[in-house]
Amino acid sequence: MMNMGRNGSKDLYEEMCDITPGGVSSPVRAFKPYPIFAGSGSGSTIIDVDGNEYTDYCMAYGPLILGHSNQYVITAVRKQLRNGTVYGMPSEPEYGLIKRICDCVPCADEARLTSTGTEATMHAVRLARGYTGRNKIIKIDGGFHGANDHLMFNGVGPDLEPKAFSAGVPECMSNNIRIARYNDLESFGNIMEKDEDIAAVIIEPYMGNAGIIPPKKGFLEGLRRITSEHGVLLIFDEVITGFRVAKGGVQELSGVKPDMCTLGKIIGGGFPAGAVAGRRDIMEHMAPFGDVYAAGTFSGNPVTAAAGCATIDLLSPAQYGKLERYTDSIVKGMTDHIYDSGIKACVNSALSMFQVFFGCNSVSDNDESKKASRDRYMMLFRHMLSNGIYMPPSGGEVNFLSTAHDRHTTDRFIEAFGDFVRRGNE
Ligand SMILES: *Cc1c(COP(=O)(O)O)cnc(C)c1O
């Protein structure tokens, strides 16, 4: 990689800071001294406004499973653009995307499209409340479901008292939320036994916003069993995992079928998207026939739908196999370097996602994830950046592979990671 300096990014950032809070449109994108401004992306590569090239492992935080500007997707989008960008009427591309979701995702008898994952979780929670006539939702500590007021709570103290992780969320909303622990069935059972007002559990079946944390054996199966026993709806938030770990998401891989799920990221093929999907008897409670309101000017947008359909059509078992193989190579390479250098760290992964936790021997829930050294992660981030590799700028996020990553990018990542752990040990 040529190092051309980053003055273009620096200047733009200063201008941006004058006109938008923190100089970014979403806070995860900020890092010190200033974020890099993207110029263009192609395949696994992103080029910044100064002409520096990076192999991208952030991949826009998950949507770009085919890499940047995949030609097949771009062609489908171009074709749709000739016919219009938004109609305010139902359309054929929209039908195509909903049909693919219902064909691929086990719990999806029906699906309703939205423009973001945040809207999808907002609608799912409202639908669960409307359908059951109950008020409370159980979420996991460290689970993230978008900037949705109803779910922006984590647990505090040993009893995981719900506390909003943003100012501006009314205190009283904490009355309608309960917090449980990932990979800890008992923490769910205890809440459901004591409280008859629980409408639903919403959970990322693989935690993807505290690094990546896969479920322990039997956890999702157990959660299915106890929610059914208590008449509580089970909602999988598969905004990250849907069409990423398999076309049918974690529910396909695990065989555990939730009552509802939320989707986003990949289904938009690089454009803004979300969806709520689920059992027919639940979904039919949505307006216009049902009494639960859910709406959006851009919901089912035809450009998004064209890109989403093209993306889904390109994903094959061979592609998923390749994604998994390269991720496994990276994880093995990293783990070997960690072992050889004697530092304390572990690497979690699930299919095409991975993350390293410094200072931990294992990470299976949010408490353990929070113990990881975020400073050390940011040192890694900067080291990788200077080696032409863009990881997500927070250890609480996840590295994503796309089908555009290959043996070469894999080897380079492992080598640069090896340099970092060796240097840290000198
Ligand atoms: C990204 C994400 C969301 C929010 O989706 P947006 O499109 O950013 O609103 C919801 N849930 C999970 C699990 C996510 O990772």
Side-chain angles (χ1 to χ4, degrees), residues 26 61 115-121 143-147 203-206 208-209 237-241 262-265 272-274 397 400:
S26 193
Y61 298 89
S115 299
T116 63
T118 296
E119 275 176 276
T121 62
F144 178 73
H145 307 288
I203 183 170
E204 295 172 77
Y206 294 177
N209 285 284
D237 182 352
E238 299 226 46
V239 170
I240 288 182
T241 51
T262 51
L263 299 165
K265 299 197 168 118
E397 301 287 341
F400 291 103

Side-chain angles (χ1 to χ4, degrees), residues 56-376:
D56 191 1
Y57 286 86
C58 183
M59 298 314 280
Y61 298 89
L64 300 174
I65 194 164
L66 300 175
H68 292 274
S69 54
N70 176 281
Q71 277 316 304
Y72 184 73
V73 177
I74 298 295
T75 303
V77 168
R78 284 223 169 90
K79 189 161 158 249
Q80 175 55 39
L81 286 176
R82 287 198 288 270
N83 295 334
T85 57
V86 61
Y87 302 125
M89 289 181 198
S91 70
E92 215 169 300
E94 174 187 358
Y95 164 79
L97 182 55
I98 296 170
K99 180 82 172 96
R100 281 165 178 78
I101 290 171
C102 292
D103 286 347
C104 297
V105 178
C107 83
D109 297 333
E110 299 187 20
R112 169 62 68 84
L113 298 178
T114 64
S115 299
T116 63
T118 296
E119 275 176 276
T121 62
M122 178 179 80
H123 289 151
V125 162
R126 187 185 303 131
L127 181 57
R129 287 173 169 150
Y131 173 82
T132 58
R134 302 182 202 150
N135 291 311
K136 292 176 193 157
I137 305 290
I138 304 178
K139 83 172 277 286
I140 51 169
D141 187 41
F144 178 73
H145 307 288
N148 170 349
D149 270 5
H150 296 263
L151 300 170
M152 287 172 64
F153 290 88
N154 278 326
V156 178
D159 295 332
L160 295 175
E161 282 299 317
K163 185 167 188 327
F165 56 79
S166 166
V169 177
E171 181 72 40
C172 63
M173 287 179 81
S174 66
N175 296 334
N176 288 321
I177 195 99
R178 293 288 174 272
I179 312 292
R181 245 184 222 95
Y182 190 68
N183 273 329
D184 177 0
L185 266 189
E186 221 178 288
S187 70
F188 286 88
N190 288 344
I191 298 169
M192 285 182 238
E193 253 141 54
K194 285 191 209 117
D195 199 329
E196 308 234 293
D197 196 30
I198 308 288
V201 167
I202 186 165
I203 183 170
E204 295 172 77
Y206 294 177
M207 267 185 105
N209 285 284
I212 174 77
I213 307 179
K216 286 186 177 158
K217 201 166 177 293
F219 172 65
L220 296 175
E221 291 79 359
L223 196 56
R224 177 65 284 185
R225 182 168 35 76
I226 58 176
T227 46
S228 296
E229 280 166 13
H230 288 87
V232 167
L233 297 180
L234 179 59
I235 306 170
F236 279 180
D237 182 352
E238 299 226 46
V239 170
I240 288 182
T241 51
F243 292 92
R244 173 162 289 280
V245 300
K247 281 198 178 181
V250 175
Q251 45 194 298
E252 177 189 324
L253 285 187
S254 65
V256 175
K257 193 163 141 186
D259 302 295
M260 273 196 267
C261 74
T262 51
L263 299 165
K265 299 197 168 118
I266 287 175
I267 63 164
F271 289 80
V276 186
R279 256 167 46 197
R280 192 178 307 283
D281 65 312
I282 302 171
M283 294 299 292
E284 289 194 337
H285 278 252
M286 269 193 180
F289 295 141
D291 54 4
V292 176
Y293 194 67
T297 303
F298 291 100
S299 296
N301 180 268
V303 181
T304 291
C309 289
T311 297
I312 291 169
D313 291 347
L314 273 195
L315 289 168
S316 63
Q319 302 270 31
Y320 285 112
K322 185 179 135 191
L323 283 166
E324 190 176 4
R325 269 199 313 283
Y326 286 133
T327 311
D328 286 350
S329 292
I330 286 185
V331 171
K332 180 167 184 310
M334 291 172 84
T335 311
D336 287 349
H337 281 307
I338 289 168
Y339 182 82
D340 291 345
S341 69
I343 66 162
K344 188 169 163 184
C346 69
V347 183
N348 276 12
S349 69
L351 289 307
S352 55
M353 301 172 271
F354 69 93
Q355 189 53 295
V356 58
F357 300 91
F358 290 106
C360 301
N361 289 322
S362 69
V363 170
S364 67
D365 63 21
N366 194 44
D367 282 341
E368 288 173 347
S369 169
K370 281 193 301 200
K371 282 185 198 134
S373 167
R374 294 285 154 93
D375 288 348
R376 194 80 186 261

Side-chain angles (χ1 to χ4, degrees), residues 29-50:
R29 297 175 200 166
F31 60 86
K32 285 191 170 65
Y34 49 84
I36 291 165
F37 279 62
S40 65
S42 170
S44 62
T45 302
I46 201 158
I47 302 178
D48 70 14
V49 289
D50 293 295

